[in-house]
Amino acid sequence: MTKSQFLIEIESLLENAKTAILATVDRDGSPRMRWMTPAILKDRAGAIYAVTSLDFDKRRQLEANASVQWMFQNKGLDRIAYADGKANLIENASMRAEVLEEIGSKLGVFWKLNSDAGSLVVVETIIERGRSFLPMTGESRIVDFN
Amino acid sequence: MTDTKQKTALYKRMLLIRRFEEKAAQMYGLRKIGGFCHLYIGQEAVATGAIGALDLKRDYIVAAYRDHGHALASGMDPKAVMAELYGKVTGCSKGKGGSMHMFDIEKHMFGGNGIVGSQIPVATGVGLKIRYREEDGVVLCFFGDGAIHQGAFHESLNLAKIYGLPVVYICENNQYGMGTDFRRVSAVDDFSVMAASYGIEGRQIDGMDVITVHENVKEIVEKARTEHLPSLLEIKTYRYKGHSMSDPAKYRTREELEDYKERDPILILKKGLLEDGVQASDLEAWDKEAKKLSEEAASFAEESPEPEIEALYSDILA
């Protein structure tokens, strides 16, 4: 599997399911997971983008430990992709606009939890390793992004 | 030279655009706004600095689809702009245009155009009207880097030169036309050199510094007004450096992340104002005011009525 094929697979899964699970590690080493609305941006290959609030715990967890894992799955539950990597928290006006234009219409739950429109920050995950998995056949394909 | 009072006015206008756009993004996510919603966050210095150099009693603005910032910079009521985004009857285009069609004839803001590059010949036409009626106005025509390779752009510049039209063509180069890095689709990196093909002045300007934008546009507008000269400005805005297949993504250092944070036209002017002796408490108060105006705009839009069904058959011109 190539990097491009893996990114296309993620895009395809997101088109189907809209959401994915992001796992982080908190300060005492315990895993933390939550549903997110990520996107792959054109011309920014090798990364996954999402948004969070400066007030959310996720920010503190990522500042303490940048290692993350994403899990993408289709609604039929027969296609899964995992992306391991490191997350950057990017506070940049233009970047916020770019990500919001891509996923803005799908952020209903985010805005219900976060009423401050100015506190938004971009989570950029630099993919280090990808794995595509078909649970019905057991087929697994791995791609190294480094 | 731009004094502190003028800088303050520019700062307040940029803040209003920023807070308005953040509110619009939130309302878009909450499904209050339908269709497309192109945000101007990060590019505030261009519309604010350029339009701030105009006299809108005699000058005109024609913009592209990313037009909320230009509408607010022209002095349009944030309530009418937000109501237009909501598709409400109190919107500046009666709720029929949405995000891409902000328009206000009294403010001389002639759109907001949804088709890439379509506003360039429109602006040229407004310039012809100014010359034909022997007025002393100037037109600012805004478009993105995705529009500059269209035939209409080149035909317009040629016409503007031979007729001596007072049009300032402003390419807001955010370096990504519909997600495509401009270097992949453009023969030249510096768009301002295209002006030489038509014997007009071209300048490349830093679009992150509102004062630089303001002073350059002021100078070039005066030339257009008095000498009937068109010109082409490439105003470069910043987008966090993207990755490409040949530039693999990498984990950022803390220094890089701090640097990205600082690349913000509002933060740049904020620093300048503090150096000029403006109090931090005043800056905070202006920010609160901008947030309040944006909140009020959203409440107004929320409470405004939908257009009547009969409105489908009015304002039809073709």
Side-chain angles (χ1 to χ4, degrees):
Chain A
M1 182 176 226
T2 65
K3 293 178 194 175
S4 296
Q5 285 171 330
F6 181 74
L7 293 172
I8 289 167
E9 174 67 358
I10 291 180
E11 278 188 301
S12 165
L13 290 168
L14 283 174
E15 202 172 306
N16 177 270
K18 317 291 183 208
T19 53
I21 291 172
L22 172 66
T24 57
V25 181
D26 74 11
R27 268 172 291 188
D28 61 12
S30 303
R32 293 283 177 262
M33 295 193 293
R34 77 284 289 155
W35 289 102
M36 299 281 285
T37 307
I40 301 288
L41 299 184
K42 289 172 189 162
D43 257 36
R44 295 189 191 277
I48 299 163
Y49 292 88
V51 294
T52 189
S53 166
L54 288 169
D55 304 325
F56 288 0
D57 287 342
K58 197 185 306 105
R59 175 203 177 186
R60 287 179 282 280
Q61 289 161 13
L62 291 173
E63 281 175 347
N65 188 338
S67 294
V68 299
Q69 185 179 58
W70 285 92
M71 184 174 80
F72 306 85
Q73 187 166 25
N74 67 340
K75 286 181 181 171
L77 311 179
D78 58 359
R79 283 165 55 209
I80 304 174
Y82 301 92
D84 296 357
K86 296 266 192 317
N88 298 308
L89 285 169
I90 301 173
E91 291 179 67
N92 173 268
S94 304
M95 191 68 208
R96 275 200 292 160
E98 192 175 346
V99 175
L100 278 172
E101 281 186 19
E102 188 67 30
I103 60 173
S105 62
K106 303 172 196 161
L107 293 178
V109 175
F110 173 80
W111 290 120
K112 284 186 197 302
L113 295 170
N114 173 50
S115 58
D116 181 3
S119 71
L120 185 141
V121 60
V122 171
V123 181
E124 176 193 57
T125 302
I126 306 299
I127 305 172
E128 294 173 336
R129 180 178 180 270
R131 181 162 80 98
S132 167
F133 179 54
L134 301 176
M136 301 299 281
T137 62
E139 186 187 345
S140 179
R141 291 179 297 169
I142 292 172
V143 57
D144 184 0
F145 276 72
N146 288 320
Chain B
M1 193 72 180
T2 309
D3 61 26
T4 305
K5 193 179 167 192
Q6 291 167 311
K7 286 182 191 172
T8 300
L10 294 169
Y11 183 74
K12 286 181 178 177
R13 191 51 60 92
M14 286 204 293
L15 266 183
L16 174 62
I17 296 171
R18 173 70 55 88
R19 297 310 179 200
F20 180 95
E21 289 291 66
E22 287 169 350
K23 197 71 197 166
Q26 188 180 29
M27 295 301 112
Y28 185 52
L30 291 169
R31 305 284 175 96
K32 302 285 185 185
I33 296 169
F36 290 101
C37 188
H38 300 288
L39 300 168
Y40 204 62
I41 294 172
Q43 294 181 220
E44 296 90 346
V46 182
T48 305
I51 293 170
L54 297 182
D55 169 5
L56 287 172
K57 287 192 174 61
R58 53 183 171 164
D59 299 332
Y60 297 84
I61 304 155
V62 185
Y65 56 83
R66 193 182 296 279
D67 61 344
H68 312 168
H70 306 82
L72 295 173
S74 74
M76 282 176 66
D77 184 350
K79 289 178 178 169
V81 178
M82 189 66 87
E84 189 56 40
L85 291 174
Y86 272 63
K88 298 294 184 78
V89 72
T90 50
C92 58
S93 299
K94 302 179 190 174
K96 293 179 175 185
S99 171
M100 298 191 258
H101 298 97
M102 300 302 166
F103 195 97
D104 188 323
I105 199 159
E106 284 178 14
K107 301 285 183 194
H108 284 189
M109 165 64 179
F110 284 10
N113 288 272
I115 300 169
V116 174
S118 65
Q119 75 279 22
I120 303 174
V122 171
T124 308
V126 178
L128 181 61
K129 166 256 186 197
I130 289 170
R131 283 290 276 160
Y132 188 75
R133 295 187 179 173
E134 298 181 356
E135 297 168 352
D136 64 350
V138 173
V139 188
L140 291 191
C141 174
F142 294 90
F143 52 94
D145 46 290
I148 203 162
H149 301 301
Q150 293 204 1
F153 164 78
H154 297 277
E155 291 173 43
S156 293
L157 261 64
N158 190 56
L159 281 173
K161 168 67 180 184
I162 60 175
Y163 289 148
L165 306 182
V167 184
V168 182
Y169 297 93
I170 298 179
C171 177
E172 293 190 58
N173 186 359
N174 67 14
Q175 303 174 51
Y176 286 90
M178 298 295 285
T180 304
D181 187 330
F182 81 99
R183 283 160 291 211
R184 291 173 62 185
V185 294
S186 180
V188 291
D189 285 352
D190 178 352
F191 292 150
S192 67
V193 301
M194 291 183 181
S197 305
Y198 303 99
I200 64 176
E201 184 174 352
R203 293 187 191 181
Q204 197 174 47
I205 297 169
D206 174 9
M208 300 308 287
D209 182 346
V210 69
I211 307 301
T212 301
V213 174
H214 184 65
E215 290 177 352
N216 270 280
V217 174
K218 203 169 178 182
E219 195 181 303
I220 212 107
V221 158
E222 221 30 59
K223 276 190 185 177
R225 196 185 306 288
T226 55
E227 300 170 34
H228 308 297
L229 289 174
S231 55
L232 171 64
L233 307 181
E234 182 197 10
I235 305 188
K236 293 190 90 131
T237 65
Y238 173 82
R239 280 211 160 180
Y240 161 89
K241 188 174 176 298
H243 314 295
S244 66
M245 285 300 182
S246 57
D247 172 25
K250 65 180 179 63
Y251 183 56
R252 311 288 172 192
T253 63
R254 282 198 186 278
E255 290 73 27
E256 274 178 293
L257 293 173
E258 280 304 311
D259 183 41
Y260 297 140
K261 192 173 167 181
E262 296 298 313
R263 296 188 193 187
D264 181 327
I266 293 178
L267 286 183
I268 291 167
L269 183 56
K270 186 178 181 178
K271 280 185 181 168
L273 285 169
L274 287 169
E275 283 166 13
D276 283 358
V278 173
Q279 298 298 307
S281 56
D282 287 337
L283 296 169
E284 273 176 40
W286 299 334
D287 192 23
K288 275 187 187 163
E289 178 63 17
K291 282 182 181 170
K292 184 168 166 273
L293 287 170
S294 304
E295 291 284 347
E296 286 171 358
S299 301
F300 173 80
E302 185 77 41
E303 289 157 15
S304 291
E306 303 277 349
E308 296 290 340
I309 192 78
E310 291 77 18
L312 279 171
Y313 303 103
S314 61
D315 306 316
I316 296 169
L317 303 172

